[in-house]
Amino acid sequence: MRLVWQLLAVIAIAFIGGQGIAAVDGKPWLTFGVGLLTAVLSVFVYRWVVGRTERRPVTEMAWEGAGPAFGRGTLIGLALFAAVMTNLFASGYYDIDGLGSGTGAVGFIGFMAAAAVTEEVIFRGVLFRIIEQRTGTWPALALTSVLFGASHLLNPDASVLGAAAIAVEAGGMLTGAYIATRNLWVPMGLHFGWNFAAAGIFSTEVSGNGTSDGLLDATMSGPILITGGEFGPEGSVYSVLFGVLVTIVFLRLARRRGHLVPRRRADRADAISKLSL
């Protein structure tokens, strides 16, 4: 039942926040405020519902070191997406025409903070963490990555190719960040940095949600496999390549730290107790 209660709590906040952002109708400063409020509420609700249903300290969302961890994740996300766009620019598929909208970028800070935090508490905080306790790390990683990719099929310009790319690059990378650090702050920051760079800086489509007015006035065109087409650069082969490479780094780090939970039931209990999850 804890899975049900935790999902209901965090999905409720995500839904209410989404309705609030829709209600402000794209007004940048209101979107900024509503988005940040949604992100903050998601953190508090997650800590509350997990603490109540599992009766333990919520170590994966500890306050100590939260700021630096979120900041590190954000820098990684910004750098990764910048690397993707640099390759697209060098290949001639991304053109910068000048500066775009500064206020639009402000709105995307709130919007992407809400999206990153709510999705991370749902997919990594609740689903992956609890499934991992039943199956071990590898099956949980595979299953939740597929679910994460499939959830993006609901977006307006979604495609099966784009959703598959999200499952591989983002599902693996974000879950890998959680496994390596055993906290949610790093994957939340990584998710936010990646999404904000996509919309707020480079003004590209984000997961099939249409074009964005960010800091740069830019256009992109070219083969779908390279650019991601209407789904956006997240469907690009460059994103998949960088995402897989970073996933491997995170998982190797997790193995070195002893953060992998084995499949065998007898070994799982001891591993989970050591991780305090």
Side-chain angles (χ1 to χ4, degrees), residues 16-104:
I16 294 169
Q19 293 302 302
I21 289 174
V24 301
D25 195 26
K27 295 179 177 62
W29 288 103
L30 289 176
T31 301
F32 173 81
V34 173
L36 287 186
L37 179 61
T38 301
V40 170
L41 285 176
S42 297
V43 169
F44 278 95
V45 168
Y46 176 85
R47 286 177 55 86
W48 173 79
V49 72
V50 171
R52 287 292 299 271
T53 56
E54 299 188 12
R55 300 186 182 280
R56 64 172 179 85
V58 187
T59 54
E60 71 274 17
M61 192 84 85
W63 296 120
E64 185 179 358
F70 187 89
R72 286 194 299 273
T74 299
L75 289 176
I76 294 171
L78 290 170
L80 278 173
F81 200 84
V84 171
M85 298 311 297
T86 298
N87 278 275
L88 288 171
F89 179 80
S91 301
Y93 299 125
Y94 178 73
D95 296 312
I96 301 173
D97 301 317
L99 293 178
S101 171
T103 55

Side-chain angles (χ1 to χ4, degrees), residues 132-204:
E132 182 189 40
Q133 293 173 2
R134 305 286 181 85
T135 67
T137 296
W138 299 114
L141 171 62
L143 177 58
T144 55
S145 293
V146 170
L147 290 175
F148 187 64
S151 70
H152 290 75
L153 288 171
L154 301 174
N155 297 342
D157 294 321
S159 66
V160 174
L161 183 63
I166 287 285
V168 173
E169 78 205 22
M173 179 171 62
L174 294 168
T175 307
Y178 171 74
I179 298 168
T181 61
R182 288 297 165 177
N183 74 68
L184 289 168
W185 298 110
V186 172
M188 286 192 299
L190 175 51
H191 196 155
F192 168 73
W194 175 278
N195 278 8
F196 177 71
I201 298 176
F202 294 99
S203 304
T204 65

